[in-house]
Amino acid sequence: MRLLFVGLLILLFVAEHSCARCDMSTTARVREGNLRQSGVFNWLGVLKVHLHEGTNFKVAVSGIVLIKVKYALVNADDVVRVPKNVLESDSLAVFLAADDTPWSVAPLSYMTHPEYEYSTLNTIAVLELNSDDAQDYPLNPICFPEAMFNTSGFLYLTGYTDENRVLEKVIYKILYLEKKVCEEFYNRAGLSDAKRAPTAYVCGFAPYNGTHCVWDNGMVLVSNATGWFTLVGFGVRGPGCAAPARFIDIFQYLDWIRTATAENVPMYDAIEDYRRDDSHKPFV
Ligand SMILES: *[C@@H]1O[C@H](CO)[C@@H](O)[C@H](O)[C@H]1NC(C)=O
Ligand SMILES: *[C@@H]1O[C@H](CO)[C@@H](O)[C@H](O)[C@H]1NC(C)=O
Ligand SMILES: *[C@@H]1O[C@H](CO)[C@@H](O)[C@H](O)[C@H]1NC(C)=O
């Protein structure tokens, strides 16, 4: 009787984790550099938008990270530039579902974090994806941190590069820096601009490789300190891979992300509820 009881407890624990369906693979023991069109980290994607300007058209791309079957995070200032009709009809969220196997899904709508209107351009938005219509859904959302933990020894930045004219994944080791190192760097370099500073961020730099590169919006700061890779930060453009860089600190946004992606809350209502709730009060 006792044995059975223990067995059940273990089962429940595992079930609770698999229920979240996040990517707990620990096989992603990756070396730094270009991963080509690898299927590893299949939560890593891009929002691809076809913009028509008169007779010309161009493709705009912004990094996204899949956080739930139907939702991804995207840079707020990038997604608000996409007209609603273009988002619905001329855009795709593209992922590498497996090695050399692109998979795409249409975006439906987005919701920016309320601070976008009041404090900073560099914040997150939640992008809703039309995953309900997808057959054989192949992706695994990234895992979220369940508690604040010391990630400093195991930080990596991953995202896409087009250095070979196709979208390929890259990964760099990141060394953690105190926030004040970032502040001093941005002040000294004349880059401090309150409208561009994330309200909460993790600071770090790529020590080994990156003298000639610049981070893009939507690169993903991850840590494998727990054994598998969890989401720590969301990258914003600049200032150079070897320089102290700011990554939006996802831990500070977990409550809002949970509200914004609650399946039974229409997106518009979620943001109104959030504004009505006095306890947040960051926007004075
Ligand atoms: C994180 O990944 C690196 C690189 O593959 C590996 O050396 C390290 O042991 C991993 N950390 C943990 C806690 O699994
Ligand atoms: C540095 O990055 C370049 C381009 O991503 C890559 O070709 C090279 O192998 C990397 N070097 C190291 C030491 O990781
Ligand atoms: C976190 O880990 C790093 C190295 O792994 C260590 O230097 C640092 O003191 C730790 N920070 C805390 C708050 O424990």
Side-chain angles (χ1 to χ4, degrees):
M1 198 57 213
R2 193 181 205 125
L3 260 178
L4 189 69
F5 187 61
V6 171
L8 194 70
L9 270 182
I10 292 167
L11 211 77
L12 279 178
F13 178 74
V14 174
E16 183 169 63
H17 270 93
S18 58
C19 186
R21 292 186 60 195
C22 74
D23 177 12
M24 292 174 83
S25 62
T26 49
T27 49
R29 305 246 152 167
V30 280
R31 286 211 315 265
E32 269 204 295
N34 192 317
L35 303 174
R36 307 292 163 194
Q37 298 200 305
S38 162
V40 74
F41 302 149
N42 74 10
W43 32 257
L44 198 62
V46 290
L47 176 64
K48 246 181 157 169
V49 182
H50 291 105
L51 292 167
H52 297 262
E53 287 172 349
T55 53
N56 296 334
F57 91 103
K58 64 174 187 184
V59 180
V61 168
S62 186
I64 60 177
V65 56
L66 190 78
I67 52 165
K68 284 189 179 183
V69 170
K70 281 183 65 179
Y71 296 97
L73 296 183
V74 62
N75 181 282
D77 199 42
D78 280 350
V79 77
V80 298
R81 291 162 199 272
V82 185
K84 194 168 179 293
N85 64 318
V86 175
L87 186 77
E88 286 166 358
S89 62
D90 252 340
S91 308
L92 281 177
V94 184
F95 299 87
L96 278 166
D99 290 358
D100 305 312
T101 312
W103 186 84
S104 57
V105 57
L108 290 172
S109 63
Y110 67 85
M111 182 161 83
T112 56
H113 188 281
E115 72 178 358
Y116 179 73
E117 286 168 50
Y118 303 92
S119 10
T120 179
L121 300 176
N122 277 322
T123 184
I124 53 170
V126 163
L127 186 67
E128 190 189 4
L129 307 172
N130 190 13
S131 306
D132 286 345
D133 292 349
Q135 303 203 328
D136 302 325
Y137 185 83
L139 308 178
N140 305 101
I142 194 169
C143 297
F144 270 80
E146 279 165 18
M148 192 82 102
F149 56 91
N150 186 354
T151 58
S152 26
F154 299 102
L155 282 176
Y156 296 87
L157 187 70
T158 182
Y160 282 92
T161 177
D162 60 1
E163 62 192 6
N164 297 322
R165 293 173 165 272
V166 286
L167 285 179
E168 296 172 319
K169 289 173 187 170
V170 286
I171 186 163
Y172 297 98
K173 174 138 183 82
I174 295 292
L175 288 190
Y176 175 83
L177 293 169
E178 294 285 324
K179 197 174 162 185
K180 76 170 195 305
V181 178
C182 254
E183 274 165 15
E184 279 167 16
F185 171 79
Y186 276 79
N187 284 335
R188 229 176 330 113
L191 294 171
S192 56
D193 170 358
K195 267 302 212 188
R196 302 215 164 263
T199 51
Y201 62 84
V202 177
C203 180
F205 75 109
Y208 307 125
N209 193 349
T211 43
H212 53 272
C213 67
V214 171
W215 305 136
D216 284 324
N217 281 345
M219 292 190 80
V220 182
L221 188 68
V222 289
S223 169
N224 67 340
T226 51
W228 59 90
F229 287 85
T230 53
L231 179 58
V232 173
F234 198 54
V236 297
R237 191 165 293 128
C241 306
R246 303 181 294 208
F247 306 98
I248 298 169
D249 182 358
I250 291 301
F251 196 76
Q252 308 300 328
Y253 292 83
L254 290 184
D255 285 345
W256 180 78
I257 291 173
R258 278 197 197 102
T259 314
T261 61
E263 307 284 344
N264 54 355
V265 184
M267 291 188 112
Y268 184 76
D269 289 0
I271 198 167
E272 287 304 305
D273 284 353
Y274 187 87
R275 281 177 183 156
R276 271 196 295 270
D277 181 353
D278 274 356
S279 67
H280 299 293
K281 279 239 168 92
F283 321 115
V284 277

